[in-house]
Amino acid sequence: MIKQIAPADPLLAYPTQLRRLEAAQGGGVALRDGHFVADDQHALVMLATRSSPFDATDQAPLQAAIEAAFAEVDAQSGGRLVLEQSGVARFALAAETSMREDIGRISTVSLVGIVALFLLMFRSPRLVLLSLAPLVAGVAAALAACLALFGAVHGLTLAFGATLIGVCIDYSVHLFNHHMLDPRGGPRQSARQIWPGLLLGALTTVAGFAGLAWTSFPGLREVALFASIGVLVAALATRYWLPDLCPWPQSQVGCSGGPRPGWRGWSRGCDAGARRWRCCRRWRWACAWSACRASSGRTTCGC
């Protein structure tokens, strides 16, 4: 045997691994009353499920049943027992639970920050709610499409898909900003003006998400369909639905609401500040050049 494996394993690491495996198998595992017992202290129970270990729908109730049964037995034994578990299903369930909690926490913090920023910019709760209308339409359409095609929607697909569709909040913000800066023609005219760029951005986003549909992993295919349908519907809702919900008249010279004057004043203030900055920068360069010339002249005369 050594002669056969020596050319491929000159350090003879394979026989060492065999001896370690043999020593590990020679532990104190024994069969007593039809049950496996290790070192007369641990009772070993091995379980196998018909469903996939990554299916949290089946694994979560099983884990809860195991913990409930152990709690009952431990109470009868005076609380001296310890339950130790290992397995792919347990780790997958714990990872999914942790991911759900992280996604919920991050989504909550992000939503609160976005709402606060929108209130600061637009100073109108109605506009904040209207900015979410395309997102709601996109999520609803994506959910319906996934249910029609796959028959069910996984929780992670809904969480990740809704997070990806969240980029569509830029569509309504783009419409509001464009209309506030140039309200001539009303919201519909503003939507027509921004539609080419909006459509191009939506199509490139859909192209990126659609690439996930060719993977062999079913979860990624669900996410690809969910995100693609959601982005397209959100863009169409911004173009054809959101302008009719805006609080401004469809044809106007000035904005009748309160947000626009503040926005225009803020914009004009930024423009004036930029002009002052450029002017001051030119003066600073001129003063610096004059100081250098004067210093050079004094140095020359001193020599």
Side-chain angles (χ1 to χ4, degrees):
M1 177 179 177
I2 299 299
K3 291 182 180 180
Q4 294 177 357
I5 66 174
D9 186 14
L11 300 179
L12 298 180
Y14 181 67
T16 303
Q17 295 294 333
L18 290 179
R19 286 192 292 269
R20 291 180 179 177
L21 181 61
E22 182 180 3
Q25 290 179 345
V29 179
L31 187 64
R32 184 174 301 174
D33 297 333
H35 302 282
F36 288 104
V37 179
D39 299 330
D40 294 332
Q41 296 180 353
H42 305 281
L44 305 180
V45 179
M46 290 175 286
L47 299 177
T49 59
R50 293 187 179 93
S51 60
S52 171
F54 300 100
D55 189 359
T57 305
D58 295 332
Q59 298 300 331
L62 175 60
Q63 186 65 35
I66 292 175
E67 294 177 356
F70 173 75
E72 182 179 356
V73 174
D74 188 29
Q76 296 174 359
S77 302
R80 297 174 300 169
L81 303 179
V82 177
L83 178 63
E84 297 180 355
Q85 301 182 71
S86 181
V88 176
R90 177 176 173 80
F91 293 129
L93 182 61
E96 181 174 345
T97 303
S98 177
M99 292 171 63
R100 287 179 181 270
E101 294 177 353
D102 291 341
I103 291 175
R105 189 182 306 109
I106 295 173
S107 300
T108 302
V109 174
S110 301
L111 181 60
V112 172
I114 290 175
V115 170
L117 181 61
F118 280 13
L119 288 175
L120 180 63
M121 290 178 58
F122 301 127
R123 292 183 290 176
S124 173
R126 182 176 180 180
L127 289 182
V128 174
L129 295 178
L130 287 179
S131 64
L132 301 177
L135 295 182
V136 174
V139 172
L143 185 61
C146 287
L147 288 176
L149 186 61
F150 299 106
V153 180
H154 197 274
L156 289 180
T157 300
L158 182 60
F160 282 112
T163 303
L164 294 175
I165 296 177
V167 300
C168 300
I169 193 70
D170 296 339
Y171 300 163
S172 55
V173 174
H174 189 29
L175 174 62
F176 294 160
N177 290 342
H178 187 86
H179 179 71
M180 286 178 177
L181 295 176
D182 187 11
R184 292 171 298 180
R188 292 180 182 175
Q189 178 63 24
S190 300
R192 282 193 293 269
Q193 291 177 353
I194 68 172
W195 177 240
L198 198 68
L199 179 61
L200 179 61
L203 292 179
T204 54
T205 304
V206 169
F209 290 151
L212 300 176
W214 277 267
T215 61
S216 59
F217 189 60
L220 289 181
R221 291 200 295 267
E222 289 186 15
V223 171
L225 178 65
F226 193 97
S228 300
I229 296 296
V231 170
L232 281 179
V233 172
L236 293 175
T238 304
R239 170 61 180 88
Y240 297 103
W241 181 39
L242 188 58
D244 295 333
L245 301 178
C246 289
W248 308 297
Q250 292 299 328
S251 180
Q252 58 183 3
V253 178
C255 181
S256 60
R260 183 174 171 266
W263 177 265
R264 290 291 295 271
W266 181 83
S267 178
R268 288 194 297 267
C270 290
D271 293 339
R275 288 194 298 268
R276 293 192 189 98
W277 170 258
R278 289 192 295 267
C279 182
C280 292
R281 186 173 58 181
R282 287 194 295 266
W283 277 106
R284 284 198 301 270
W285 280 110
C287 291
W289 182 80
S290 300
C292 290
R293 291 288 297 175
S295 175
S296 175
R298 286 195 298 268
T299 304
T300 303
C301 293
C303 291

